[in-house]
Protein backbone atom coordinates (compact mmCIF):
# COMPACT_ATOMS: atom_id res chain seq x y z
CA UNK A 1 0.00 0.00 0.00
CA UNK A 2 1.10 3.54 -0.62
CA UNK A 3 0.37 5.93 2.23
CA UNK A 4 -0.53 9.39 1.03
CA UNK A 5 -3.24 10.32 3.52
CA UNK A 6 -3.15 11.04 7.21
CA UNK A 7 -5.76 8.54 8.37
CA UNK A 8 -5.51 5.50 10.61
CA UNK A 9 -5.29 1.87 9.64
CA UNK A 10 -2.82 -0.79 8.62
CA UNK A 11 -2.25 -2.90 5.56
CA UNK A 12 -4.98 -5.42 6.38
CA UNK A 13 -7.85 -3.00 6.86
CA UNK A 14 -6.57 -0.97 3.88
CA UNK A 15 -6.59 -4.14 1.76
CA UNK A 16 -10.09 -4.98 2.96
CA UNK A 17 -11.47 -1.53 2.15
CA UNK A 18 -10.05 -1.81 -1.36
CA UNK A 19 -11.57 -5.29 -1.62
CA UNK A 20 -14.98 -3.96 -0.57
CA UNK A 21 -14.84 -1.32 -3.31
CA UNK A 22 -13.62 -3.82 -5.91
CA UNK A 23 -16.45 -6.27 -5.15
CA UNK A 24 -19.22 -3.67 -4.84
CA UNK A 25 -22.58 -5.12 -5.81
CA UNK A 26 -21.47 -8.74 -5.46
CA UNK A 27 -23.76 -10.68 -3.14
CA UNK A 28 -22.72 -13.53 -0.87
CA UNK A 29 -19.16 -12.38 -0.18
CA UNK A 30 -17.61 -12.06 3.26
CA UNK A 31 -13.96 -11.31 3.92
CA UNK A 32 -11.57 -11.06 6.83
CA UNK A 33 -8.12 -9.45 6.87
CA UNK A 34 -6.12 -9.49 10.10
CA UNK A 35 -2.58 -9.62 11.44
CA UNK A 36 -1.90 -12.62 13.65
CA UNK A 37 -0.08 -10.52 16.27
CA UNK A 38 -3.36 -8.70 16.95
CA UNK A 39 -2.19 -5.31 15.68
CA UNK A 40 -2.89 -3.91 12.21
CA UNK A 41 -0.39 -1.09 11.87
CA UNK A 42 -0.23 1.14 14.94
CA UNK A 43 -3.91 0.67 15.82
CA UNK A 44 -5.52 -1.40 18.54
CA UNK A 45 -7.20 -3.71 16.05
CA UNK A 46 -6.00 -6.85 14.31
CA UNK A 47 -7.85 -5.89 11.12
CA UNK A 48 -11.45 -5.90 9.97
CA UNK A 49 -14.27 -7.96 8.52
CA UNK A 50 -16.49 -7.09 5.56
CA UNK A 51 -19.74 -8.37 4.11
CA UNK A 52 -21.72 -7.86 0.91
CA UNK A 53 -23.75 -5.30 2.86
CA UNK A 54 -20.74 -3.23 3.94
CA UNK A 55 -21.16 -0.47 1.34
CA UNK A 56 -24.93 -0.33 1.88
CA UNK A 57 -24.45 0.04 5.63
CA UNK A 58 -21.75 2.66 4.99
CA UNK A 59 -24.06 4.64 2.72
CA UNK A 60 -26.69 4.58 5.46
CA UNK A 61 -24.15 6.31 7.73
CA UNK A 62 -23.07 8.67 4.93
CA UNK A 63 -19.58 7.11 4.79
CA UNK A 64 -17.78 7.46 1.45
CA UNK A 65 -15.61 4.34 1.26
CA UNK A 66 -13.49 5.66 -1.62
CA UNK A 67 -12.73 8.87 0.29
CA UNK A 68 -11.66 6.87 3.35
CA UNK A 69 -9.38 4.77 1.14
CA UNK A 70 -7.82 7.88 -0.45
CA UNK A 71 -7.10 9.24 3.05
CA UNK A 72 -5.66 5.89 4.18
CA UNK A 73 -8.30 5.92 6.92
CA UNK A 74 -9.63 2.37 6.81
CA UNK A 75 -9.62 2.17 10.62
CA UNK A 76 -12.20 4.96 10.94
CA UNK A 77 -14.34 3.47 8.16
CA UNK A 78 -14.57 0.02 9.74
CA UNK A 79 -14.84 1.45 13.28
CA UNK A 80 -17.92 3.44 12.22
CA UNK A 81 -19.50 0.17 11.05
CA UNK A 82 -18.40 -1.76 14.14
CA UNK A 83 -16.49 -4.13 11.84
CA UNK A 84 -13.01 -3.88 13.34
CA UNK A 85 -11.53 -7.12 14.66
CA UNK A 86 -10.02 -6.39 18.08
CA UNK A 87 -8.20 -9.30 19.70
CA UNK A 88 -5.57 -7.49 21.72
CA UNK A 89 -1.95 -8.59 21.41
CA UNK A 90 -1.77 -12.32 20.68
CA UNK A 91 1.98 -12.72 21.31
CA UNK A 92 2.23 -14.61 18.02
CA UNK A 93 3.35 -13.09 14.77
CA UNK A 94 2.95 -15.74 12.12
CA UNK A 95 1.80 -13.48 9.28
CA UNK A 96 -1.18 -11.65 7.90
CA UNK A 97 -4.31 -13.77 7.51
CA UNK A 98 -6.86 -13.04 4.83
CA UNK A 99 -9.89 -15.12 4.00
CA UNK A 100 -12.67 -14.66 1.47
CA UNK A 101 -15.86 -16.69 1.68
CA UNK A 102 -18.16 -16.76 -1.32
CA UNK A 103 -21.60 -18.19 -0.67
CA UNK A 104 -24.84 -16.86 -2.15
CA UNK A 105 -26.66 -17.05 1.19
CA UNK A 106 -24.20 -14.94 3.25
CA UNK A 107 -25.17 -11.44 4.27
CA UNK A 108 -25.10 -9.43 7.42
Amino acid sequence: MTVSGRGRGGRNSEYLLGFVLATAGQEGIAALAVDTDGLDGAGDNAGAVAFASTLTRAAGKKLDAAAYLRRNDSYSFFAALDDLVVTGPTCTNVNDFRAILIDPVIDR
Side-chain angles (χ1 to χ4, degrees):
M1 76 186 226
T2 302
V3 178
S4 57
R6 297 173 89 44
R8 295 177 62 194
R11 65 184 171 266
N12 287 297
S13 57
E14 176 102 356
Y15 159 83
L16 194 60
L17 185 50
F19 177 84
V20 165
L21 288 166
T23 59
Q26 301 293 320
E27 293 298 319
I29 297 176
L32 168 77
V34 296
D35 196 323
T36 60
D37 69 359
L39 302 173
D40 186 29
D44 60 355
N45 65 312
V49 63
F51 301 90
S53 63
T54 295
L55 288 179
T56 302
R57 291 184 299 119
K61 294 181 176 252
K62 305 214 184 306
L63 303 174
D64 181 345
Y68 278 87
L69 188 59
R70 282 191 302 274
R71 291 192 306 264
N72 299 108
D73 198 12
S74 54
Y75 181 100
S76 297
F77 178 82
F78 288 112
L81 297 174
D82 199 30
D83 285 344
L84 291 175
V85 175
V86 180
T87 62
T90 63
C91 299
T92 60
N93 194 7
V94 179
N95 213 335
D96 293 339
F97 179 79
R98 297 174 182 174
I100 301 167
L101 178 63
I102 301 171
D103 185 332
V105 297
I106 294 176
D107 203 1
R108 179 176 187 203

